[in-house]
Amino acid sequence: MKLRGAIFDLDGTVLDSMPMWNEVGIRYLTDRDLPVPPGVRDKFKTMTLMQSAEYYHNELGVQEQPEQILQDIERTILHDYQHTIPLKEGVREVLDELKARGVRMGVATATARGCVEPALERLGVSDYFSFVLTCTEVGRGKTHPDIFEQSLARLGTCKQDTVVFEDAIHAIQTAKSAGFRVAAVYDESSAHEREEISALSDVYLNHWCEFQCE
């Protein structure tokens, strides 16, 4: 795959962070010795963090107000980005290869900058990227192409020479519709959409070690 620019998603693509996101709601309960209702894990997948906090208070009888619950959840998330979340296996080698080839790289993520930067610095990969751009800063999520278009402008590369690395189907659909080439990266959290993701993308990587840069 020939390229001059690369736009990397973070969670599930560069970082192996989806297990944390999938379990953070349950951890709030278990850390406080509270019962975990059947089916609540799937319910949390459809909620924002604030909606989850309201659910704890209104439906599960947690005494703290939703605002305090949200702060406690966010503190747990920040701790994991600062201390425990690892890189996905093989991604560092790909970053090394792209850097050696002079490929310009940036991060486009829905995760807050306050979590992103400590993780990248702790893992020793922040210097690979010329910028980090978040959906909050752009003002729109990845169902809109704004974050990819703004990332392209920051890279200063042509769209046909730039690849978006993503794991989530909605972001892949958006990038493809905007005319980007997409390399999809397998993550267990999206395994149920594997066939559809593979069909949508230009390249599908079951593991980072499969990536080849011509």
Side-chain angles (χ1 to χ4, degrees), residues 23-41:
E23 294 297 322
V24 67
I26 301 300
R27 282 170 60 190
Y28 179 87
L29 297 174
T30 57
D31 287 350
R32 290 158 179 79
D33 295 322
L34 296 171
V36 179
V40 75
R41 182 176 277 101

Side-chain angles (χ1 to χ4, degrees), residues 41-48 51-52:
R41 182 176 277 101
D42 289 335
K43 185 182 291 290
F44 286 151
K45 289 180 180 179
T46 66
M47 294 181 178
T48 65
Q51 288 171 335
S52 298

Side-chain angles (χ1 to χ4, degrees), residues 5 7 145-153 155 157-165 171-183 200-202:
I7 300 168
D146 304 53
I147 193 166
F148 300 120
E149 297 288 359
Q150 290 188 30
S151 294
L152 182 67
L155 289 176
T157 53
C158 297
K159 186 174 289 188
Q160 62 266 28
D161 297 328
T162 303
V163 174
V164 173
F165 292 92
I172 292 168
Q173 289 170 332
T174 300
K176 286 297 295 180
S177 296
F180 287 91
R181 289 189 295 162
V182 175
L200 274 172
S201 12
D202 298 281

Side-chain angles (χ1 to χ4, degrees), residues 71-99:
Q71 289 180 20
D72 293 340
I73 297 172
E74 289 178 334
R75 191 177 299 114
T76 297
I77 292 169
L78 177 59
H79 175 273
D80 284 3
Y81 276 96
Q82 289 176 329
H83 300 286
T84 64
I85 291 172
L87 288 172
K88 294 196 82 169
E89 186 178 357
V91 70
R92 190 186 300 274
E93 290 76 7
V94 172
L95 295 175
D96 280 335
E97 181 178 359
L98 295 181
K99 182 179 180 180

